[in-house]
Amino acid sequence: MAVNRFGEEQEDLMSLSNDKMVVQRSWIERNFSKRDCVHYIPSVSVRDRHRCGCGRAKEKHLKSTFPSSPDLTEIKWMVTRHTDEMPTDAFGTLEFQGGPHPTKAQYVRLSHDTQSDLIVQLLLKHWNLELPKLLISVHGGIQNFELQPKLKRVFRKGLLKAANTTGAWIITGGTNTGVMRHVGDALGERSTKIKNTIVTIGIAPWGVVENREDLLGKEVVKSYHTISHSGKTNYAVLNNYHSYYLLVDNGTVGRYGAEIQLRKRLEKYISQQKISTKCNAKGHGVPLVCVVLEGGVNTIRTVLEYVTDDPPVPVVVCDGSGRAADLLAFTHKYAQDDGTMPDRLKEQLIITIEKTFQYNTEHANKLFLELMLCVKKKELITVFRMGEEGSQDIDLAILTALLTGQNASPSEQLSLALTWDRVDIAKSHIFVYGQEWPEGSLEQAMMDALIQDRVDFVKLLLQNGVSMKKFLTIQTLEELYNSNKELSSTFHYLMKDKGGKSKVPQSGENKYTLIQIGEVIDSLMGGAYRSNYNRKKFKTRYYQLTRKGTATGLSHMMSSVPVPAVVEQHVSNYPFHELLVWAVLMKRQNMAMCMWQHGEEAMAKALVACCLYRAMAHEAAQDDLEVDVCDELKKYALEFQTVSFELLEQCYKQDDYSTQQLLTYELANWSRQTCLSLAIAACHREFVAHTCCQMLLTDMWMGGLRMRKSSALKVIFGILFPPSILMLEFKSQEELKCMPQTLEEHIQNTDASMMDTASESSLMFDYDEEEQAGMTMPNNVEANITCNSTTQLDSSKLGNLRRATSFASELFNMARKKKKSIKAGREDL
């Protein structure tokens, strides 16, 4: 029966998958098309006179499509007039053969005038990509060329580092030639994990793809060999290390250029999309940068289009790679600010252009003018020169070119660096001496760093003056708990199971409240622990700020706790405590370690984190959906367990007496627990078994006895022979005051002190009333207070006595308040 049910479930999954494929197939066929030449028009080129303007031979056209014009040479072939648009007939998955492991890539054949929004929809929704945080467009020569070995190594390493650390897309021409081959080889040298995280999109002309007939089919899986056998220079195979292909069709074959305008439109459209930042809020657009490696005349003109576009696109040129890149680097270096160049250098550059591209003087001068127009905006072009003093890696050159070329404010630059997770860029180029920051900009960056789990940025912002106490308000902390719910399923399960009386919202509904989170913390900590979020004082402030409390609940709170004129918005005086708990509940171990390193009560924070992780691991072990998470949580708990033990060991070596006091210090911020009680709650056996803890427990067990050697024998001997008790040594009064006390002992001592204070205050009040009535003191009282028995107290002595009486009254009131607070503490516990 179970087998049949399992088979039915498998069939349901397969049917759902097939339905999804059918929907995707129909969507692609509706929105993407191909171009086929339907009219034979002889080419205007003398060399290709026997061919059509599309590049095909005459016999490749249908006879019924021949135009009736008697003189075909007078007609110029045009895409819009002589091609028909039909639904695409080539899309699916490529399996590249020839390597040790076949690599796969998605592909689609589409028309050259396809709308950019449809392409982005295909990439994001149907191919399941995420919007990039950076767009790197690589341009250069389409023919094969050689690079210097060191430059090749630096280029490959820097390009992949820039893409891998920033979540970028790399866009190339897609074929296995020229600069595209160098990009593909860079990916081929990396591990499978890195290759899968880097998105490389090849935009190639359909008409130049070799063996393109093998790609025909709708939603099919096609095998493709990357070895060329034809030897034709106008055709090229696809590079097997690109992950996505857009094969642009304008009806031509054997000719490049069909992809140029579509690629330009697509890059501009993607750069206008807004990147989601804090809590899915839309931020800045996707940064676009052009990287030039070698290249020809078209590469120079492409650079000119980039720097003159609106908005302009920064360009990084790799000097030493050859041809166009070297000419751009030379012009950028020697061009003057007024847009001119010394005559001697100008002549040298023109001669170099003639030799490089086999141009005559006229064409060389025109290309020289284009080069001068490119470098007219020097700030948009960054030249990477390997081996130059002060040179940096190419990934730094790419990212700094974006920061300087976009003319962004410091806040926008910091947001970009944070999005890329490049703290080195922020340190060297953003947080510079004398930089002024708008009010609230660093706090906003801190919020984004916490949500995106950028630990290094959190440390950098703390070093540059961000106040956590000012930053962490009740609304901010609640927003942190409600950010990225889909990434913290464990926390969601805990809120659902341990949320207590309050209704926990499901995914997509209302947000979690700090009251509910406090109930989860109490449940995980166990015992008598009570979170600050569930205390009356915090609830009153919370309901005043959020205005979500019920009328009855709010009136009850108002009646028991006085309402301040201005409600304090910060959570507590110890923000790192709250952020540590947040990081632990969100399973962000690195962030939790960062919060442990900052702030006060490091030992207590480590023990609390250990206790929470152990409780979460126990919950995960009981949940079938969180089996694998249990080991991860136990590992995190062990790290904090080790940290707390090492901290105890270090403190004990420095000062054993202060360490014992530290273990029994009442932690007001942690439900009046002690480090020793937290260690017991966390089942930290190594901590409790430490020499310091054992000495402390032994001292508490012996009480007021001062015994170091043979303590058990002395106690037994005292029980058997009571007179020997007089021979035992006891601790002094000062030593007894410094000893840790249990809660019962503390309450008893407090009650006794209050009774003594009350009796002394009553005596002074009676004495003051007798003096005010003009009565003389009895002789026995006179002797006790050393006053004259035959005279009354003078005014100065009477004033001193009244001040003493007032002081005693204050002591009595303080003792009474202390007793009430202790009773309240016992009620809370």
Side-chain angles (χ1 to χ4, degrees):
M1 190 71 180
V3 175
N4 294 335
R5 185 178 301 173
F6 178 76
E8 292 176 358
E9 292 178 354
Q10 290 292 101
E11 292 178 0
D12 293 340
L13 291 175
M14 292 179 63
S15 62
L16 289 175
S17 177
N18 293 331
D19 293 341
K20 183 178 180 181
M21 292 176 62
V22 171
V23 172
Q24 178 174 321
R25 173 179 173 180
S26 60
W27 183 86
I28 292 178
E29 288 180 311
R30 288 197 311 269
N31 293 279
F32 295 97
S33 59
K34 66 175 183 176
R35 289 276 182 176
D36 282 338
C37 180
V38 294
H39 295 286
Y40 173 74
I41 305 296
S43 175
V44 296
S45 174
V46 178
R47 186 180 59 181
D48 295 332
R49 178 65 63 182
H50 63 287
R51 291 182 174 273
C52 176
C54 68
R56 293 182 178 88
K58 184 176 181 179
E59 56 271 13
K60 295 292 184 180
H61 294 72
L62 298 177
K63 294 182 179 180
S64 59
T65 61
F66 291 171
S68 58
S69 175
D71 190 3
L72 299 178
T73 58
E74 297 179 357
I75 302 175
K76 184 178 180 181
W77 188 89
M78 299 179 65
V79 177
T80 55
R81 291 184 180 181
H82 304 124
T83 62
D84 280 350
E85 187 175 2
M86 291 172 282
T88 183
D89 59 353
F91 59 91
T93 305
L94 289 177
E95 282 191 354
F96 291 99
Q97 306 297 320
H101 301 285
T103 57
K104 295 183 179 181
Q106 301 288 329
Y107 76 98
V108 64
R109 177 186 182 183
L110 46 84
S111 177
H112 70 289
D113 55 357
T114 304
Q115 297 178 6
S116 299
D117 58 337
L118 293 176
I119 301 176
V120 172
Q121 185 176 352
L122 172 69
L123 294 171
L124 300 183
K125 293 186 177 181
H126 294 271
W127 288 352
N128 299 321
L129 295 180
E130 293 183 358
L131 195 67
K133 300 178 178 63
L134 174 63
L135 196 61
I136 304 175
S137 182
V138 183
H139 290 267
I142 60 174
Q143 300 299 327
N144 290 326
F145 59 89
E146 293 296 328
L147 285 177
Q148 302 173 17
K150 188 175 181 180
L151 178 59
K152 181 192 298 185
R153 185 169 60 253
V154 171
F155 171 78
R156 294 178 178 180
K157 179 181 177 181
L159 180 65
L160 294 187
K161 184 178 179 182
N164 190 35
T165 58
T166 61
W169 287 0
I170 300 177
I171 296 182
T172 72
T175 58
N176 198 31
T177 59
V179 66
M180 295 78 73
R181 184 172 186 175
H182 286 286
V183 175
D185 291 345
L187 285 169
E189 295 175 354
R190 302 300 171 183
S191 62
T192 304
K193 182 178 179 181
I194 295 179
K195 285 188 291 187
N196 292 336
T197 57
I198 298 177
V199 177
T200 312
I201 302 175
I203 304 179
W206 168 263
V208 303
V209 176
E210 192 171 331
N211 302 323
R212 59 185 177 277
E213 293 82 8
D214 297 338
L215 306 182
L216 297 177
K218 300 178 181 180
E219 200 61 52
V220 293
V221 179
K222 292 288 187 178
S223 299
Y224 190 84
H225 293 272
T226 58
I227 300 176
S228 176
H229 298 286
S230 64
K232 299 179 181 179
T233 57
N234 293 340
Y235 296 88
V237 295
L238 298 175
N239 184 267
N240 58 328
Y241 291 114
H242 286 59
S243 46
Y244 302 93
Y245 288 96
L246 303 176
L247 305 179
V248 185
D249 187 12
N250 67 346
T252 63
V253 295
R255 297 177 183 178
Y256 288 89
E259 80 286 0
I260 294 177
Q261 293 302 319
L262 182 139
R263 177 175 176 177
K264 183 179 179 181
R265 293 195 309 269
L266 179 62
E267 289 175 353
K268 189 165 187 177
Y269 182 82
I270 294 176
S271 67
Q272 293 172 352
Q273 305 305 304
K274 301 298 182 182
I275 302 176
S276 298
T277 54
K278 183 189 68 171
C279 291
N280 296 324
K282 296 297 182 181
H284 51 77
V286 178
L288 171 63
V289 63
C290 169
V291 178
V292 176
L293 191 72
E294 209 251 358
V297 176
N298 290 331
T299 302
I300 296 176
R301 290 169 182 164
T302 300
V303 171
L304 181 59
E305 292 178 357
Y306 276 127
V307 296
T308 57
D309 198 3
D310 184 25
V313 177
V315 178
V316 178
V317 179
C318 296
D319 189 17
S321 58
R323 298 204 303 166
D326 292 352
L327 293 175
L328 285 167
F330 183 88
T331 309
H332 181 271
K333 184 176 182 179
Y334 295 106
Q336 299 177 354
D337 295 336
D338 57 356
T340 61
M341 183 179 287
D343 294 337
R344 182 177 58 84
L345 295 176
K346 177 181 177 181
E347 294 176 0
Q348 180 181 349
L349 182 58
I350 292 176
I351 294 174
T352 305
I353 294 173
E354 293 175 354
K355 293 180 179 180
T356 303
F357 300 112
Q358 303 300 319
Y359 274 9
N360 56 31
T361 305
E362 181 181 358
H363 287 86
N365 280 297
K366 290 182 179 179
L367 190 58
F368 169 77
L369 293 177
E370 292 180 358
L371 287 170
M372 295 302 295
L373 290 175
C374 289
V375 300
K376 191 174 183 180
K377 297 181 178 180
K378 279 191 172 184
E379 68 278 3
L380 293 174
I381 297 180
T382 302
V383 179
F384 172 74
R385 291 185 175 90
M386 188 180 59
E388 189 180 48
E389 183 179 357
S391 64
Q392 50 192 1
D393 293 335
I394 194 170
D395 62 308
L396 292 177
I398 292 173
L399 300 180
T400 54
L402 283 167
L403 296 180
T404 57
Q406 291 191 339
N407 195 24
S409 64
S411 301
E412 294 171 341
Q413 292 180 355
L414 180 59
S415 178
L416 283 174
L418 200 151
T419 303
W420 301 332
D421 195 14
R422 292 300 297 264
V423 71
D424 54 340
I425 299 290
K427 287 180 179 179
S428 58
H429 293 84
I430 301 176
F431 285 98
V432 295
Y433 179 76
Q435 184 69 269
E436 295 183 359
W437 295 92
E439 184 178 358
S441 59
L442 293 182
E443 284 74 13
Q444 179 63 49
M446 176 63 78
M447 188 67 178
D448 293 336
L450 289 171
I451 290 177
Q452 299 177 32
D453 200 19
R454 306 288 198 237
V455 179
D456 293 334
F457 273 91
V458 171
K459 296 179 180 178
L460 181 63
L461 291 168
L462 289 174
Q463 294 171 4
N464 285 272
V466 175
S467 173
M468 275 299 189
K469 183 177 179 181
K470 179 181 178 182
F471 162 77
L472 193 66
T473 61
I474 292 178
Q475 293 86 346
T476 302
L477 183 60
E478 201 167 76
E479 189 174 351
L480 287 174
Y481 274 107
N482 286 276
S483 63
N484 298 331
K485 291 182 182 179
E486 66 279 1
L487 300 180
S488 54
S489 57
T490 304
F491 175 69
H492 178 69
Y493 294 146
L494 288 174
M495 292 297 300
K496 187 176 180 180
D497 297 337
K498 305 291 183 180
K501 301 177 182 178
S502 305
K503 180 181 181 295
V504 178
Q506 300 297 326
S507 179
E509 298 182 3
N510 297 329
K511 61 182 182 179
Y512 303 129
T513 65
L514 291 182
I515 309 300
Q516 296 168 339
I517 294 167
E519 295 174 357
V520 172
I521 296 173
D522 293 348
S523 177
L524 292 175
M525 293 296 294
Y529 189 91
R530 186 176 184 185
S531 172
N532 291 332
Y533 305 151
N534 287 330
R535 297 188 180 274
K536 294 181 180 179
K537 185 177 180 180
F538 179 84
K539 286 184 177 181
T540 303
R541 289 198 297 128
Y542 179 81
Y543 287 126
Q544 289 172 352
L545 289 172
T546 58
R547 301 181 183 277
K548 292 182 180 179
T550 59
T552 56
L554 188 59
S555 61
H556 174 71
M557 295 294 178
M558 297 302 180
S559 61
S560 59
V561 180
V563 181
V566 179
V567 182
E568 295 182 357
Q569 295 189 7
H570 69 273
V571 180
S572 70
N573 294 326
Y574 303 92
F576 293 104
H577 293 19
E578 317 301 331
L579 290 175
L580 173 81
V581 175
W582 165 77
V584 169
L585 293 178
M586 291 292 178
K587 290 195 311 182
R588 299 185 176 185
Q589 176 68 357
N590 294 332
M591 186 66 73
M593 279 293 182
C594 175
M595 297 306 160
W596 173 77
Q597 294 169 359
H598 293 80
E600 301 81 5
E601 299 177 349
M603 187 178 294
K605 288 193 293 186
L607 293 171
V608 168
C610 180
C611 188
L612 289 174
Y613 272 134
R614 283 186 177 275
M616 292 169 64
H618 177 72
E619 295 294 331
Q622 296 179 346
D623 196 336
D624 295 338
L625 299 178
E626 294 285 314
V627 175
D628 297 335
V629 180
C630 180
D631 294 336
E632 181 184 6
L633 293 172
K634 288 182 178 179
K635 176 184 175 183
Y636 294 159
L638 182 61
E639 291 181 14
F640 273 108
Q641 182 175 321
T642 304
V643 164
S644 61
F645 182 80
E646 292 177 351
L647 182 60
L648 176 63
E649 179 70 21
Q650 186 66 25
C651 293
Y652 178 70
K653 290 180 180 179
Q654 295 292 330
D655 189 345
D656 57 343
Y657 177 73
S658 299
T659 305
Q660 293 184 32
Q661 289 185 324
L662 178 64
L663 292 175
T664 56
Y665 173 74
E666 187 180 81
L667 302 167
N669 301 302
W670 303 108
S671 186
R672 298 192 180 103
Q673 299 285 324
T674 64
C675 289
L676 192 58
S677 64
L678 290 175
I680 296 173
C683 299
H684 196 340
R685 297 181 179 180
E686 292 81 1
F687 191 96
V688 179
H690 191 272
T691 305
C692 184
C693 294
Q694 293 301 310
M695 288 176 57
L696 176 63
L697 295 175
T698 302
D699 198 23
M700 294 177 64
W701 172 258
M702 299 308 300
L705 294 175
R706 181 188 290 140
M707 289 183 291
R708 291 289 183 181
K709 298 180 180 180
S710 305
S711 57
L713 293 177
K714 292 180 180 179
V715 171
I716 295 174
F717 191 73
I719 294 174
L720 298 177
F721 302 96
S724 64
I725 296 177
L726 300 177
M727 301 175 59
L728 297 177
E729 295 184 6
F730 293 88
K731 297 176 182 177
S732 63
Q733 190 69 21
E734 290 75 11
E735 292 175 334
L736 291 175
K737 291 180 179 179
C738 296
M739 283 185 61
Q741 295 177 334
T742 62
L743 181 62
E744 291 77 7
E745 292 174 344
H746 183 61
I747 294 174
Q748 291 176 2
N749 293 338
T750 305
D751 292 340
S753 63
M754 286 191 296
M755 293 178 61
D756 294 340
T757 305
S759 61
E760 293 176 1
S761 176
S762 176
L763 176 61
M764 290 186 177
F765 274 120
D766 295 340
Y767 181 71
D768 190 26
E769 290 175 356
E770 293 175 354
E771 285 300 315
Q772 290 181 0
M775 298 174 59
T776 59
M777 301 295 294
N779 291 333
N780 57 346
V781 178
E782 289 178 347
N784 291 334
I785 62 173
T786 64
C787 291
N788 194 338
S789 60
T790 59
T791 60
Q792 294 182 353
L793 295 175
D794 56 16
S795 59
S796 61
K797 293 182 179 179
L798 183 60
N800 292 334
L801 187 57
R802 287 177 176 174
R803 283 192 291 270
T805 304
S806 176
F807 179 70
S809 177
E810 291 178 1
L811 288 177
F812 179 76
N813 292 332
M814 289 175 60
R816 185 171 56 185
K817 291 180 179 179
K818 183 66 176 178
K819 185 176 182 179
K820 289 183 178 180
S821 65
I822 292 173
K823 291 182 178 179
R826 285 190 292 179
E827 292 176 359
D828 290 343
L829 294 175

